[in-house]
Amino acid sequence: MKGWIMFNKIKTLKEQNLKITQIARILNSDVRTIKKYWNMSSEEFELLRTQYKQRIVGRKMDIYEQLILSWLKEFNDISGAQVFDWLKEREQDFSMAERTVRSYVEKLRKKYELPKLKVSRQFLAVPETDIGEQAQVDMGQINLLTEDKKTKKLHLFTMVLSFSRYKFAIWQDKPFTSNDIVQCHHKAFEFFGGVPKTIVYDQDKTMFVTENLGDIIKTDLFQKYINTMNFKVHLCRAFDPQSKGKIEAVVKFVKNNFAKHRVFTNIDDFNELCLDWLKRTGNAKEHSIIKKIPEEMFHLEKEHLQQVPPFLFAKEESNSNIVPYSLSKDNTVTYKSNRYQLPKETYSDKQKEVGVVCEDNQITFFNLKTKESINTYEISKDKGKLISNISRNTTPDPKVLELKSKILNRYSNKNLIIQYIENIEILKKRYIKSQLKRIDSLSTEYDKEIFLNAIKECISKDNFDLDFLAKLLNNTKKNTESEPSLQNIPDKLKNIVTETRELSEYEEKLVKLC
C-alpha cells in the first residue's frame, strides 16, 4: 500500500502529460502500481488506506482474540480500557493504542453477542426521622442577569427540617466564608425558632477540614458554634448525595421555582423576595412525598426543637464585617467590577488575600492577620475602572544619579549635557541606565570640545538617538585626523622650541667634503 507522497507524485506527473511507463521509470516503480492509482480519486485512495489499516490492525489484534474473548466471558462488565491494561501487563512491548483495543473489544462483543453488563446502583428509601430530630444543610449557585444585562453569580444556603420539610433559604452575592456559614445557621435557627438535634452536611471546606476516618475535623469557628448550639453533626460520604436527598431537592426547588429567570437588582431585595416566596409557595405548597403542607407540619415540629442559645461571639465576629478578598499580583483587589489599587508589595507568598469592609459608601482594606488598615477608597459606581490614590513616583536609581554626576563633572558647560540627558529621559525612560552608560563611554573617548559640539548639533536637529551622536563624533574624528593640526601633537611636545643654524655653516661643511 503506497502513501500519500507517492500518490501525489503520480497525479502530478500525470498532469504533465507523461505516460505510465515514463512515470514508472521516474519513480522507480512497477507499471502495475502506476496503473492501480492512475484513475483513482483522492477520496477513493483515502478509503483504500483506511480499509488497509483496519485489516492490518485486525490481523495484529487477532492473535489476542481468544485471550480477550476468555476475559469477556468470565468478566462480563470488563472495560476496553482494562483489557488494554492487562495486555500491556502481559507484554511490555505491546504497541497497540488504547483506542484500537477498545474498538476491537467492542467488535468482539458484537460478534459473539457478549453485551457489557451495566451495573446500576440500587437505593432504599430513607426512613422518616423523628419529629425535631434532624435538619439537612446544603449550598448551591446560580447565574442570573442583572438590569444592565450582565451575568451575576449568586450563592445559596438552604436548611430543611427533615420531619416537616419546612425550609429556610438565604442568598449571598459573594462566596461563603466560615463566618458567613455560621451567620446563615443562626438566621435559620431564628427563622425556625429552635435548633434540631442533628444536622446532615456535605463535606464543605468552610465547615470541615477533613473527615479523618470518622473523626471529623471542623474549622475552629464552626466547632465553636456547634459547641454553643449543642447539635450533632452527620457528615455524608463523598459522592453520596442520596443520603441527604431532602435538601438536594430543596436546592433544586429554590433555584428552579424561585430564582430562575429573575432579574437581579441587589442582594437585600433578592432575599426579601425569597422570604416572601417561602411563605407563599416554598412552605405553603403540599409536599409531593409526605402529601402534607410543610407549614402545617412545622407547627407540630417547632415544639420539639431545642431552644436557640445566645451566641455572643458570633456577633463579635460579625461586627468586624471583614470579608476576605483575593489580592492580585499587581496589588489590586476586584470589587463590583472595579479594581482598587493597594500599595506596592502588599501582595506576597504569605499574603494573597486582604480583608474588605464596606461602610458609608467607603471600602477599606485590611491586613487579615494584624487587622491593620491598608487603604480606603470611596466605592466607585463605574465599571471596569482602576481606582487608585497611590503615587507612582519612585525613588531615583542611585546608579543613574551616579552616572549623571560622573558625566557632568567632566564639563564646565553643563547646560548642554543636562538638556541632552533630560530629553533622553523623556524619550527612553525605561532604558535610561544603559543610555547613560553609553554617553559616559563616548564622553571619555572623544575630546571635550568635539563631544560638546556633537551634543549641540544633536539638540539643534532634535535627534537624541545615541547612534546619531556616535556617528557625528566618528565623522569629526576622521576629519581631524586627515588635517594636520596641533591637536594631533601631544601636549608635552607642543612647547618645545627647535634649535636653528645659519645657512653658512652648512655651506662650509659642503666645501670641506668636496
Side-chain angles (χ1 to χ4, degrees):
M1 181 69 196
K2 300 298 180 182
W4 275 104
I5 294 176
M6 176 64 83
F7 180 79
N8 288 329
K9 284 181 178 179
I10 293 170
K11 293 297 180 183
T12 302
L13 293 171
K14 181 184 177 182
E15 290 173 359
Q16 296 175 10
N17 296 322
L18 294 177
K19 296 179 180 180
I20 292 177
T21 53
Q22 291 174 314
I23 295 174
R25 282 198 301 272
I26 292 171
L27 299 179
N28 194 24
S29 184
D30 193 277
V31 172
R32 288 172 296 180
T33 302
I34 307 302
K35 285 182 178 180
K36 180 180 178 180
Y37 301 115
W38 190 255
N39 294 317
M40 189 178 290
S41 66
S42 299
E43 291 77 12
E44 290 171 337
F45 180 72
E46 177 60 26
L47 178 61
L48 187 65
R49 280 178 54 80
T50 303
Q51 291 171 349
Y52 175 79
K53 285 181 180 179
Q54 289 174 348
R55 288 199 304 273
I56 295 299
V57 169
R59 285 200 294 268
K60 288 182 178 180
M61 287 300 301
D62 282 344
I63 61 176
Y64 304 106
E65 180 177 349
Q66 293 305 315
L67 176 61
I68 296 173
L69 197 58
S70 66
W71 292 340
L72 295 177
K73 289 179 179 178
E74 185 175 359
F75 312 106
N76 57 2
D77 63 340
I78 192 170
S79 65
Q82 192 170 19
V83 169
F84 172 72
D85 183 69
W86 284 7
L87 290 172
K88 284 186 66 178
E89 185 178 340
R90 288 172 66 91
E91 295 182 21
Q92 291 185 354
D93 58 347
F94 183 77
S95 59
M96 304 300 290
E98 182 177 346
R99 183 173 60 181
T100 302
V101 175
R102 291 203 307 265
S103 298
Y104 189 75
V105 169
E106 188 64 28
K107 177 183 173 182
L108 290 183
R109 286 191 181 281
K110 291 179 180 178
K111 181 179 177 181
Y112 294 98
E113 297 182 354
L114 295 170
K116 185 178 178 181
L117 177 65
K118 294 183 179 179
V119 180
S120 59
R121 186 176 174 186
Q122 299 296 318
F123 303 98
L124 294 174
V126 178
E128 292 297 331
T129 56
D130 293 336
I131 189 169
E133 178 64 32
Q134 185 194 90
Q136 296 184 3
V137 165
D138 201 6
M139 284 160 279
Q141 298 175 358
I142 193 170
N143 289 319
L144 297 178
L145 288 177
T146 61
E147 290 178 317
D148 53 359
K149 304 300 179 183
K150 294 183 179 179
T151 302
K152 180 71 174 177
K153 179 179 281 189
L154 297 183
H155 302 264
L156 169 67
F157 172 93
T158 56
M159 183 183 291
V160 62
L161 298 175
S162 296
F163 176 79
S164 63
R165 305 305 203 271
Y166 197 68
K167 307 162 194 68
F168 171 77
I170 191 167
W171 297 84
Q172 234 178 238
D173 57 0
K174 61 182 184 297
F176 288 108
T177 64
S178 294
N179 187 56
D180 293 331
I181 292 296
V182 167
Q183 298 303 318
C184 289
H185 275 76
H186 217 63
K187 289 175 182 176
F189 295 151
E190 290 174 350
F191 181 79
F192 295 143
V195 180
K197 296 180 179 66
T198 304
I199 301 182
V200 179
Y201 295 95
D202 249 342
Q203 298 186 31
D204 191 280
K205 290 182 180 179
T206 56
M207 296 175 279
F208 307 102
V209 179
T210 178
E211 192 174 2
N212 197 31
L213 300 177
D215 297 327
I216 302 166
I217 300 175
K218 308 169 188 69
T219 60
D220 292 340
L221 180 60
F222 193 58
Q223 181 64 67
K224 192 174 181 181
Y225 184 70
I226 292 169
N227 295 341
T228 305
M229 292 295 109
N230 193 29
F231 62 83
K232 296 178 182 179
V233 167
H234 176 83
L235 194 61
C236 293
R237 292 177 298 168
F239 311 111
D240 186 26
Q242 286 74 19
S243 56
K244 57 178 183 61
K246 297 181 181 70
I247 193 64
E248 294 280 348
V250 170
V251 171
K252 290 180 182 178
F253 186 37
V254 176
K255 286 167 61 174
N256 294 330
N257 194 285
F258 165 70
K260 194 173 182 180
H261 303 310
R262 285 184 183 270
V263 175
F264 177 78
T265 52
N266 63 72
I267 197 65
D268 293 332
D269 290 347
F270 201 78
N271 275 318
E272 189 175 340
L273 290 170
C274 187
L275 288 174
D276 291 341
W277 174 85
L278 286 171
K279 186 177 181 180
R280 180 181 66 251
T281 302
N283 290 321
K285 187 177 180 181
E286 183 181 289
H287 196 277
S288 60
I289 302 297
I290 62 174
K291 303 300 180 184
K292 294 177 182 177
I293 297 174
E295 189 173 7
E296 294 176 356
M297 297 291 289
F298 173 68
H299 289 300
L300 298 174
E301 187 167 23
K302 185 177 180 180
E303 302 299 324
H304 294 80
L305 297 175
Q306 302 175 100
Q307 188 176 357
V308 182
F311 188 51
L312 299 178
F313 76 88
K315 293 178 181 178
E316 292 170 3
E317 289 281 343
S318 63
N319 284 341
S320 66
N321 285 330
I322 296 179
V323 179
Y325 269 70
S326 295
L327 177 63
S328 299
K329 289 183 179 180
D330 60 357
N331 297 289
T332 59
V333 177
T334 301
Y335 179 78
K336 290 191 174 180
S337 302
N338 289 311
R339 292 184 300 138
Y340 291 83
Q341 182 71 63
L342 299 186
K344 191 177 180 182
E345 297 178 357
T346 302
Y347 177 92
S348 68
D349 289 337
K350 295 182 179 179
Q351 180 165 293
K352 296 182 179 180
E353 287 186 328
V354 292
V356 172
V357 172
C358 296
E359 290 179 345
D360 300 327
N361 202 36
Q362 284 193 329
I363 182 169
T364 305
F365 300 94
F366 292 87
N367 184 304
L368 285 173
K369 290 185 178 180
T370 64
K371 306 301 181 187
E372 293 179 357
S373 173
I374 300 173
N375 206 344
T376 300
Y377 291 96
E378 283 191 13
I379 297 175
S380 174
K381 295 181 180 179
D382 294 326
K383 300 291 182 183
K385 298 288 186 180
L386 173 64
I387 314 300
S388 177
N389 57 13
I390 295 172
S391 173
R392 295 187 177 273
N393 293 332
T394 56
T395 305
D397 188 338
K399 184 65 177 176
V400 170
L401 295 176
E402 182 185 338
L403 284 166
K404 284 183 182 178
S405 177
K406 187 178 177 183
I407 296 166
L408 291 171
N409 287 338
R410 293 196 183 102
Y411 303 94
S412 57
N413 184 4
K414 295 179 171 55
N415 292 333
L416 282 173
I417 306 296
I418 291 171
Q419 186 179 351
Y420 185 80
I421 290 176
E422 284 178 348
N423 279 279
I424 293 281
E425 281 187 302
I426 294 169
L427 296 171
K428 301 176 182 179
K429 186 175 182 179
R430 288 181 59 191
Y431 308 99
I432 186 61
K433 190 185 292 185
S434 58
Q435 293 278 309
L436 288 172
K437 284 181 179 178
R438 192 173 179 196
I439 292 172
D440 178 45
S441 176
L442 291 170
S443 67
T444 56
E445 185 179 347
Y446 293 92
D447 181 79
K448 294 178 182 178
E449 188 176 350
I450 293 174
F451 185 78
L452 286 173
N453 287 334
I455 290 289
K456 188 175 183 180
E457 188 171 349
C458 287
I459 294 171
S460 66
K461 292 185 176 180
D462 199 26
N463 189 327
F464 300 95
D465 190 327
L466 290 186
D467 287 337
F468 179 71
L469 174 62
K471 186 177 179 181
L472 288 176
L473 291 168
N474 192 42
N475 290 339
T476 306
K477 183 178 180 181
K478 288 179 179 178
N479 293 333
T480 55
E481 285 176 350
S482 61
E483 298 175 5
S485 169
L486 287 176
Q487 291 177 351
N488 297 325
I489 301 174
D491 291 341
K492 64 181 180 179
L493 300 177
K494 285 182 179 179
N495 297 323
I496 295 178
V497 179
T498 56
E499 185 179 351
T500 60
R501 295 180 184 184
E502 293 294 333
L503 186 60
S504 59
E505 291 185 30
Y506 293 101
E507 290 176 348
E508 289 176 5
K509 288 186 181 291
L510 286 171
V511 170
K512 290 178 180 180
L513 289 173
C514 294

